[in-house]
Amino acid sequence: MEKPSLGRLEVICGPMFSGKTTELIRRIESARELGSATLAIKPTTDNRYSSYDLVTHTGQRIQASAVLNAAEILALVGELRISKSMKIVAIDEAHFFGEELSQVCATLLSWGFRVIVVGLEFDHRGDVFEPFPALFTLSNDTTRLVGICSICGNRAIHTQRMNPSMQRIVVGGVGDYEPRCEKCFAPSRG
Ligand SMILES: [Zn+2]
């Protein structure tokens, strides 16, 4: 009988414009150079720039599959598992998937995958996005990236929403959000 192998979880988090997707693409590309195929996944709610690519704010891109929710990640991986070279599952915009993502990651780890999860740790109120506390407990390697505060230039860990909105998740890019340090961040009330 095959010995069950355990996977590895890497979490990359930080505010918008801190280079998270750039770091994810860098890890995917170096794994591909070593011969490991990667399934890159993003939520369908994010249709900025391109529907099926992971795209950084500076225009780097990598092909990705779009799913509606965390459960679909397992279904997709299940379908593609016949390919033995597929060893890595990369999940961008993890905050869109909610609490359910941590259970999905635990399952992927039990299947032996290297899982790389990327997303915003804090929302526009400064509260932690649900999947992250649970992901941190599963994580083998956590990278917290910081941006540059748009007001004072210090280390930014928050994402300031520039347009008032009641929704917790609003997709946007340059102009809609700014990186802010803890001192300059003004939590939205919505
Ligand atoms: Zn500041």
Side-chain angles (χ1 to χ4, degrees), residues 37-166:
T38 304
L39 173 66
I41 291 171
K42 57 179 278 174
T44 51
T45 42
D46 180 0
N47 58 4
R48 281 175 295 173
Y49 314 127
S50 157
S51 302
Y52 298 102
D53 286 355
L54 302 184
V55 184
T56 66
H57 294 287
T58 52
Q60 268 185 291
R61 62 180 60 228
I62 212 160
Q63 212 186 352
S65 300
V67 297
L68 275 171
N69 54 51
E72 281 193 1
I73 297 173
L74 290 183
L76 190 60
V77 171
E79 272 172 42
L80 300 174
R81 262 176 103 195
I82 28 167
S83 152
K84 288 279 183 207
S85 65
M86 201 187 81
K87 294 190 166 61
I88 302 171
V89 178
I91 303 164
D92 200 15
E93 306 282 8
H95 49 282
F96 284 97
F97 291 113
E99 188 63 58
E100 197 189 1
L101 184 66
S102 55
Q103 190 51 55
V104 166
C105 286
T107 303
L108 291 172
L109 295 176
S110 75
W111 289 351
F113 283 97
R114 175 182 169 196
V115 182
I116 311 173
V117 171
V118 179
L120 296 178
E121 183 177 1
F122 300 110
D123 69 9
H124 61 287
R125 293 181 297 241
D127 294 335
V128 175
F129 265 116
E130 284 87 2
F132 283 96
L135 289 173
F136 292 146
T137 67
L138 292 171
S139 175
N140 300 94
D141 179 292
T142 297
T143 303
R144 281 190 167 87
L145 295 174
V146 293
I148 297 165
C149 176
S150 58
I151 305 281
C152 73
N154 281 333
R155 291 159 54 92
I157 64 160
H158 288 292
T159 304
Q160 180 73 51
R161 181 178 288 177
M162 305 309 288
N163 302 312
S165 166
M166 296 305 285

Side-chain angles (χ1 to χ4, degrees), residues 2-38:
E2 212 178 82
K3 205 179 156 203
S5 56
L6 279 178
R8 173 186 167 80
L9 177 64
E10 297 163 33
V11 176
I12 303 167
C13 59
M16 285 183 73
F17 314 111
S18 61
K20 297 186 299 300
T21 305
T22 304
E23 174 61 20
L24 175 64
I25 290 177
R26 192 186 67 76
R27 291 189 196 186
I28 290 172
E29 283 180 343
S30 54
R32 282 181 178 170
E33 277 167 26
L34 296 170
S36 299
T38 304

